[in-house]
Amino acid sequence: MTQHYRLLISCPDRVGIVAKVSTFIAEQGGWLTEASYHSDQQSQRFFMRNEIVTDSLSVDKDTFMARFKVVADEFQMTWRLTDSAQSKRVALMVSKHSHCLADVLHRWQSRDLDCEIVAVISNHTTLSHMADWYQLPFHHVPMSTAEEKARSNEALPELLSALDVDLVVLARYMQIIPESLCEAYEGRMINIHHSFLPSFVGARPYQKAFERGVKLIGATCHYVTKDLDEGPIIEQDVVRVSHRYDEQEMLKKGKDVERNVLAQGLQYHLEDRVMIDANKTIILD
């Protein structure tokens, strides 16, 4: 695959941003293969993503960034430049449900997801064989008792730091993440919730959906915050259900939605297509 730099920009909206950025890239010899932007009328902010062929630039990355800072300062930009050649290091966290873990691992092995999975972490040993099959390190963080939960939650930050992860994916990890860890990985921890949020937050959403008699169930991929199931939403989808379905049939239907929504949300993040705006996301696809 062609190597790209990805330039992501957020700033107060005003006339001339696209022209200034595009002209700057052209002056550095940059070949733009993709340019996406969004002007948010409510917040009056502008969001932009550019893909630049790395080999087309006449300057190195450090020089590009130093020169672009002049443009960024003029427009009060929050910005970053990432390199598609540097795959993000990902840790997968899971409990007992295997469908999301299996799907992500398969897509990763098939190179459909561009990342480096460095470990599987679980509060159970049920799925350790899947990590073994993919020749990945497996870390058990028991949570069966209050004492175990306290020790494991205390050890998790050190473990993730030692793994040097860029992103944590909760692939049906059925534990509440400590507030300090949510803050440490703000914008870098993704969860799949088996409900079309904001409906049916918390545990047993399929049971709640069954009891409510809904006709659509769904799944939500979102960033984790200290507020349970209320982080910025990256991706969602739904599937129609019938009054004839019981909770187990809803669960079976929902698993397919969960897999696809997590994979799509993860891909958006890995490709640097997600920009967070307060408690919303802008997906520059």
Side-chain angles (χ1 to χ4, degrees):
M1 294 177 62
T2 303
Q3 182 181 349
H4 291 83
Y5 288 138
R6 297 162 181 159
L7 177 62
L8 285 87
I9 297 164
S10 169
C11 63
D13 202 0
R14 54 177 274 197
V15 173
I17 302 171
V18 174
K20 190 78 172 187
V21 173
S22 301
T23 299
F24 172 84
I25 293 171
E27 289 172 346
Q28 316 310 308
W31 177 9
L32 271 172
T33 58
E34 187 176 328
S36 306
Y37 49 86
H38 171 69
S39 177
D40 192 295
Q41 297 302 304
Q42 183 173 9
S43 67
Q44 292 296 297
R45 290 194 66 80
F46 183 81
F47 303 87
M48 190 175 191
R49 177 185 183 275
N50 297 279
E51 283 199 358
I52 309 160
V53 177
T54 307
D55 292 343
S56 69
L57 290 171
S58 59
V59 296
D60 61 22
K61 184 178 180 181
D62 289 341
T63 303
F64 182 96
M65 294 177 69
R67 291 180 179 178
F68 186 74
K69 187 177 184 303
V70 178
V71 177
D73 290 345
E74 178 185 349
F75 287 87
Q76 303 175 50
M77 292 176 177
T78 300
W79 64 283
R80 69 182 190 272
L81 187 70
T82 65
D83 188 343
S84 67
Q86 297 176 350
S87 296
K88 293 178 175 59
R89 294 172 60 84
V90 177
L92 302 176
M93 297 183 66
V94 66
S95 290
K96 289 184 176 181
H97 295 288
S98 63
H99 55 289
C100 287
L101 176 66
D103 186 70
V104 170
L105 289 175
H106 175 71
R107 291 175 192 261
W108 164 67
Q109 188 184 58
S110 303
R111 302 178 68 85
D112 293 330
L113 290 174
D114 181 19
C115 63
E116 180 183 355
I117 296 180
V118 297
V120 176
I121 302 169
S122 180
N123 56 313
H124 297 281
T125 58
T126 311
L127 302 178
S128 61
H129 68 282
M130 294 183 65
D132 293 340
W133 198 89
Y134 284 93
Q135 299 181 336
L136 290 169
F138 180 85
H139 300 273
H140 182 214
V141 286
M143 300 268 183
S144 297
T145 66
E147 292 77 11
E148 285 182 342
K149 183 173 291 191
R151 285 196 300 270
S152 292
N153 280 334
E154 187 175 336
L156 269 173
E158 184 177 343
L159 172 59
L160 293 172
S161 178
L163 292 169
D164 191 26
V165 300
D166 300 303
L167 177 68
V168 180
V169 177
L170 309 184
R172 291 299 300 268
Y173 179 69
M174 310 304 289
Q175 296 289 322
I176 294 176
I177 303 297
E179 183 174 330
S180 59
L181 198 58
C182 293
E183 292 173 350
Y185 285 87
E186 182 178 1
R188 297 189 299 135
M189 182 177 288
I190 288 175
N191 181 49
I192 181 68
H193 183 70
H194 41 310
S195 173
F196 193 79
L197 294 175
S199 299
F200 309 128
V201 301
R204 302 198 72 189
Y206 289 122
Q207 176 64 29
K208 295 172 184 175
F210 171 73
E211 292 171 353
R212 184 65 182 84
V214 300
K215 306 308 178 190
L216 294 170
I217 58 171
T220 304
C221 178
H222 66 95
Y223 288 112
V224 176
T225 64
K226 62 183 178 64
D227 300 312
L228 181 65
D229 295 334
E230 293 186 15
I233 292 170
I234 307 169
E235 180 64 286
Q236 292 182 295
D237 201 359
V238 294
V239 62
R240 183 164 293 278
V241 294
S242 165
H243 61 274
R244 298 180 180 87
Y245 289 18
D246 61 18
E247 182 185 358
Q248 290 304 310
E249 288 171 309
M250 285 187 174
L251 190 152
K252 184 177 179 181
K253 276 278 189 181
K255 282 182 177 180
D256 285 338
V257 186
E258 292 170 37
R259 283 188 283 257
N260 292 333
V261 167
L262 177 59
Q264 183 62 78
L266 178 54
Q267 185 168 347
Y268 282 149
H269 182 95
L270 294 175
E271 294 179 354
D272 299 304
R273 296 186 180 278
V274 187
M275 301 190 74
I276 298 175
D277 180 25
N279 201 43
K280 300 190 300 182
T281 62
I282 309 298
I283 309 297
L284 296 174
D285 60 347

